[in-house]
Amino acid sequence: MPSPVTLVTGAASGIGCAVAELLAGRGHSLVLVDIDDLGAILRDRDDVTRLTGDVSDESFWTENRRHLAGLTHAVVNAGVSSAGSIAELDFGEWRRVMATNV
Protein backbone atom coordinates (compact mmCIF):
# COMPACT_ATOMS: atom_id res chain seq x y z
CA MET A 1 0.00 0.00 0.00
CA PRO A 2 1.46 3.42 -0.95
CA SER A 3 2.13 5.93 1.79
CA PRO A 4 -0.46 8.64 2.40
CA VAL A 5 0.28 12.00 0.79
CA THR A 6 -0.73 14.85 3.08
CA LEU A 7 -0.92 18.62 2.51
CA VAL A 8 -0.15 20.73 5.60
CA THR A 9 -0.74 24.49 5.36
CA GLY A 10 0.77 26.84 7.91
CA ALA A 11 3.62 24.35 8.27
CA ALA A 12 6.51 26.72 9.06
CA SER A 13 5.88 26.88 12.79
CA GLY A 14 3.66 25.99 15.70
CA ILE A 15 0.85 23.49 15.23
CA GLY A 16 1.47 23.06 11.50
CA CYS A 17 5.13 22.18 12.04
CA ALA A 18 4.28 19.77 14.86
CA VAL A 19 1.62 18.05 12.74
CA ALA A 20 4.05 17.73 9.82
CA GLU A 21 6.67 16.13 12.05
CA LEU A 22 4.10 13.74 13.54
CA LEU A 23 2.81 12.68 10.12
CA ALA A 24 6.33 12.25 8.75
CA GLY A 25 7.05 9.92 11.65
CA ARG A 26 3.97 7.90 10.68
CA GLY A 27 5.15 7.43 7.10
CA HIS A 28 3.27 10.19 5.28
CA SER A 29 4.71 11.90 2.24
CA LEU A 30 4.15 15.61 2.75
CA VAL A 31 3.41 18.79 0.84
CA LEU A 32 4.22 21.63 3.24
CA VAL A 33 2.93 25.14 2.53
CA ASP A 34 3.49 28.43 4.32
CA ILE A 35 3.82 32.10 3.46
CA ASP A 36 7.02 32.09 5.57
CA ASP A 37 10.19 30.21 4.70
CA LEU A 38 9.93 26.56 5.72
CA GLY A 39 13.58 26.56 6.79
CA ALA A 40 15.01 23.26 7.92
CA ILE A 41 11.70 21.52 8.63
CA LEU A 42 12.14 17.85 7.69
CA ARG A 43 15.06 18.67 5.36
CA ASP A 44 16.44 15.16 5.80
CA ARG A 45 13.46 13.58 4.00
CA ASP A 46 13.13 13.01 0.26
CA ASP A 47 9.34 12.65 0.39
CA VAL A 48 8.65 16.24 1.47
CA THR A 49 7.73 19.04 -0.94
CA ARG A 50 8.07 22.59 0.42
CA LEU A 51 6.06 25.41 -1.15
CA THR A 52 6.30 29.02 -0.04
CA GLY A 53 3.30 31.14 -0.90
CA ASP A 54 0.02 32.71 0.13
CA VAL A 55 -2.74 30.09 0.55
CA SER A 56 -5.36 32.73 -0.25
CA ASP A 57 -3.85 33.37 -3.70
CA GLU A 58 -5.59 31.27 -6.35
CA SER A 59 -2.63 31.61 -8.71
CA PHE A 60 -0.35 30.01 -6.08
CA TRP A 61 -2.47 26.84 -6.21
CA THR A 62 -2.68 26.92 -10.01
CA GLU A 63 1.11 27.26 -10.33
CA ASN A 64 1.70 24.40 -7.89
CA ARG A 65 -1.06 22.05 -9.04
CA ARG A 66 1.45 19.37 -10.04
CA HIS A 67 2.52 19.02 -6.38
CA LEU A 68 -1.04 18.27 -5.30
CA ALA A 69 -1.54 15.16 -7.41
CA GLY A 70 -2.26 12.11 -5.31
CA LEU A 71 -3.17 13.92 -2.09
CA THR A 72 -5.00 11.66 0.33
CA HIS A 73 -5.22 14.00 3.32
CA ALA A 74 -5.13 17.72 4.10
CA VAL A 75 -4.44 19.58 7.34
CA VAL A 76 -5.72 23.08 6.64
CA ASN A 77 -3.90 24.91 9.41
CA ALA A 78 -2.89 28.30 7.93
CA GLY A 79 -4.60 31.22 9.58
CA VAL A 80 -4.42 34.95 10.20
CA SER A 81 -6.23 37.41 12.43
CA SER A 82 -6.98 41.08 12.48
CA ALA A 83 -7.30 43.59 15.28
CA GLY A 84 -10.69 44.94 16.24
CA SER A 85 -14.23 43.69 16.06
CA ILE A 86 -15.83 42.42 12.86
CA ALA A 87 -18.11 45.45 12.82
CA GLU A 88 -15.05 47.74 12.71
CA LEU A 89 -13.15 45.93 9.93
CA ASP A 90 -13.26 47.34 6.44
CA PHE A 91 -14.42 44.88 3.80
CA GLY A 92 -10.95 44.41 2.27
CA GLU A 93 -9.45 43.38 5.60
CA TRP A 94 -12.36 41.04 6.31
CA ARG A 95 -11.84 39.40 2.90
CA ARG A 96 -8.10 38.99 3.55
CA VAL A 97 -8.74 37.17 6.83
CA MET A 98 -11.51 35.01 5.38
CA ALA A 99 -9.51 34.13 2.24
CA THR A 100 -6.71 32.70 4.36
CA ASN A 101 -8.76 31.08 7.10
CA VAL A 102 -11.47 29.57 4.96
Side-chain angles (χ1 to χ4, degrees), residues 20-33:
E21 290 174 350
L22 175 81
L23 293 173
R26 294 186 177 178
H28 288 238
S29 296
L30 298 170
V31 178
L32 306 180
V33 177

PDB file of all heavy atoms in Angstrom, residues 20-33:
ATOM      1  N   ALA A  20       3.208  18.254  10.903  1.00  0.00           N
ATOM      2  CA  ALA A  20       4.048  17.732   9.824  1.00  0.00           C
ATOM      3  C   ALA A  20       5.060  16.724  10.360  1.00  0.00           C
ATOM      4  O   ALA A  20       5.249  15.649   9.772  1.00  0.00           O
ATOM      5  CB  ALA A  20       4.766  18.884   9.115  1.00  0.00           C
ATOM      6  N   GLU A  21       5.687  17.043  11.469  1.00  0.00           N
ATOM      7  CA  GLU A  21       6.671  16.126  12.053  1.00  0.00           C
ATOM      8  C   GLU A  21       6.009  14.828  12.517  1.00  0.00           C
ATOM      9  O   GLU A  21       6.550  13.737  12.321  1.00  0.00           O
ATOM     10  CB  GLU A  21       7.415  16.812  13.197  1.00  0.00           C
ATOM     11  CG  GLU A  21       8.345  17.897  12.683  1.00  0.00           C
ATOM     12  CD  GLU A  21       9.004  18.719  13.776  1.00  0.00           C
ATOM     13  OE1 GLU A  21       8.607  18.591  14.962  1.00  0.00           O
ATOM     14  OE2 GLU A  21       9.900  19.498  13.442  1.00  0.00           O
ATOM     15  N   LEU A  22       4.839  14.922  13.102  1.00  0.00           N
ATOM     16  CA  LEU A  22       4.100  13.739  13.537  1.00  0.00           C
ATOM     17  C   LEU A  22       3.751  12.844  12.350  1.00  0.00           C
ATOM     18  O   LEU A  22       3.966  11.628  12.376  1.00  0.00           O
ATOM     19  CB  LEU A  22       2.833  14.147  14.295  1.00  0.00           C
ATOM     20  CG  LEU A  22       1.922  12.993  14.700  1.00  0.00           C
ATOM     21  CD1 LEU A  22       2.456  12.336  15.958  1.00  0.00           C
ATOM     22  CD2 LEU A  22       0.510  13.491  14.919  1.00  0.00           C
ATOM     23  N   LEU A  23       3.210  13.451  11.299  1.00  0.00           N
ATOM     24  CA  LEU A  23       2.806  12.684  10.122  1.00  0.00           C
ATOM     25  C   LEU A  23       4.005  12.065   9.406  1.00  0.00           C
ATOM     26  O   LEU A  23       3.940  10.933   8.927  1.00  0.00           O
ATOM     27  CB  LEU A  23       2.004  13.559   9.167  1.00  0.00           C
ATOM     28  CG  LEU A  23       0.635  14.008   9.702  1.00  0.00           C
ATOM     29  CD1 LEU A  23       0.000  15.013   8.745  1.00  0.00           C
ATOM     30  CD2 LEU A  23      -0.276  12.825   9.949  1.00  0.00           C
ATOM     31  N   ALA A  24       5.113  12.794   9.350  1.00  0.00           N
ATOM     32  CA  ALA A  24       6.328  12.246   8.746  1.00  0.00           C
ATOM     33  C   ALA A  24       6.770  11.007   9.510  1.00  0.00           C
ATOM     34  O   ALA A  24       7.165   9.999   8.905  1.00  0.00           O
ATOM     35  CB  ALA A  24       7.437  13.295   8.730  1.00  0.00           C
ATOM     36  N   GLY A  25       6.684  11.055  10.829  1.00  0.00           N
ATOM     37  CA  GLY A  25       7.046   9.925  11.655  1.00  0.00           C
ATOM     38  C   GLY A  25       6.129   8.729  11.480  1.00  0.00           C
ATOM     39  O   GLY A  25       6.488   7.601  11.809  1.00  0.00           O
ATOM     40  N   ARG A  26       4.941   8.976  10.930  1.00  0.00           N
ATOM     41  CA  ARG A  26       3.975   7.903  10.676  1.00  0.00           C
ATOM     42  C   ARG A  26       3.969   7.466   9.214  1.00  0.00           C
ATOM     43  O   ARG A  26       3.053   6.784   8.771  1.00  0.00           O
ATOM     44  CB  ARG A  26       2.590   8.349  11.109  1.00  0.00           C
ATOM     45  CG  ARG A  26       2.513   8.534  12.604  1.00  0.00           C
ATOM     46  CD  ARG A  26       1.141   8.823  13.076  1.00  0.00           C
ATOM     47  NE  ARG A  26       1.146   8.923  14.536  1.00  0.00           N
ATOM     48  CZ  ARG A  26       0.086   9.201  15.248  1.00  0.00           C
ATOM     49  NH1 ARG A  26      -1.071   9.419  14.665  1.00  0.00           N
ATOM     50  NH2 ARG A  26       0.173   9.271  16.559  1.00  0.00           N
ATOM     51  N   GLY A  27       4.980   7.917   8.461  1.00  0.00           N
ATOM     52  CA  GLY A  27       5.146   7.428   7.099  1.00  0.00           C
ATOM     53  C   GLY A  27       4.442   8.202   6.000  1.00  0.00           C
ATOM     54  O   GLY A  27       4.383   7.737   4.866  1.00  0.00           O
ATOM     55  N   HIS A  28       3.934   9.379   6.305  1.00  0.00           N
ATOM     56  CA  HIS A  28       3.268  10.186   5.276  1.00  0.00           C
ATOM     57  C   HIS A  28       4.298  10.894   4.401  1.00  0.00           C
ATOM     58  O   HIS A  28       5.308  11.390   4.895  1.00  0.00           O
ATOM     59  CB  HIS A  28       2.386  11.258   5.925  1.00  0.00           C
ATOM     60  CG  HIS A  28       1.158  10.733   6.574  1.00  0.00           C
ATOM     61  ND1 HIS A  28      -0.095  11.143   6.211  1.00  0.00           N
ATOM     62  CD2 HIS A  28       0.981   9.827   7.573  1.00  0.00           C
ATOM     63  CE1 HIS A  28      -0.995  10.527   6.957  1.00  0.00           C
ATOM     64  NE2 HIS A  28      -0.350   9.721   7.800  1.00  0.00           N
ATOM     65  N   SER A  29       4.026  10.957   3.116  1.00  0.00           N
ATOM     66  CA  SER A  29       4.708  11.900   2.238  1.00  0.00           C
ATOM     67  C   SER A  29       3.998  13.225   2.441  1.00  0.00           C
ATOM     68  O   SER A  29       2.784  13.257   2.651  1.00  0.00           O
ATOM     69  CB  SER A  29       4.596  11.463   0.780  1.00  0.00           C
ATOM     70  OG  SER A  29       5.262  10.246   0.590  1.00  0.00           O
ATOM     71  N   LEU A  30       4.736  14.326   2.380  1.00  0.00           N
ATOM     72  CA  LEU A  30       4.149  15.609   2.753  1.00  0.00           C
ATOM     73  C   LEU A  30       4.324  16.672   1.690  1.00  0.00           C
ATOM     74  O   LEU A  30       5.350  16.724   1.004  1.00  0.00           O
ATOM     75  CB  LEU A  30       4.788  16.110   4.054  1.00  0.00           C
ATOM     76  CG  LEU A  30       4.585  15.225   5.282  1.00  0.00           C
ATOM     77  CD1 LEU A  30       5.462  15.713   6.421  1.00  0.00           C
ATOM     78  CD2 LEU A  30       3.131  15.202   5.697  1.00  0.00           C
ATOM     79  N   VAL A  31       3.324  17.542   1.589  1.00  0.00           N
ATOM     80  CA  VAL A  31       3.406  18.789   0.843  1.00  0.00           C
ATOM     81  C   VAL A  31       3.191  19.877   1.883  1.00  0.00           C
ATOM     82  O   VAL A  31       2.098  20.029   2.425  1.00  0.00           O
ATOM     83  CB  VAL A  31       2.346  18.877  -0.267  1.00  0.00           C
ATOM     84  CG1 VAL A  31       2.445  20.216  -0.993  1.00  0.00           C
ATOM     85  CG2 VAL A  31       2.470  17.709  -1.242  1.00  0.00           C
ATOM     86  N   LEU A  32       4.259  20.596   2.214  1.00  0.00           N
ATOM     87  CA  LEU A  32       4.216  21.631   3.238  1.00  0.00           C
ATOM     88  C   LEU A  32       4.088  22.998   2.578  1.00  0.00           C
ATOM     89  O   LEU A  32       4.815  23.306   1.642  1.00  0.00           O
ATOM     90  CB  LEU A  32       5.483  21.588   4.090  1.00  0.00           C
ATOM     91  CG  LEU A  32       5.824  20.253   4.734  1.00  0.00           C
ATOM     92  CD1 LEU A  32       7.113  20.367   5.538  1.00  0.00           C
ATOM     93  CD2 LEU A  32       4.681  19.749   5.595  1.00  0.00           C
ATOM     94  N   VAL A  33       3.178  23.817   3.099  1.00  0.00           N
ATOM     95  CA  VAL A  33       2.926  25.141   2.531  1.00  0.00           C
ATOM     96  C   VAL A  33       2.918  26.172   3.643  1.00  0.00           C
ATOM     97  O   VAL A  33       2.330  25.952   4.707  1.00  0.00           O
ATOM     98  CB  VAL A  33       1.565  25.173   1.793  1.00  0.00           C
ATOM     99  CG1 VAL A  33       1.266  26.571   1.272  1.00  0.00           C
ATOM    100  CG2 VAL A  33       1.532  24.162   0.664  1.00  0.00           C
TER     101      VAL A  33
END
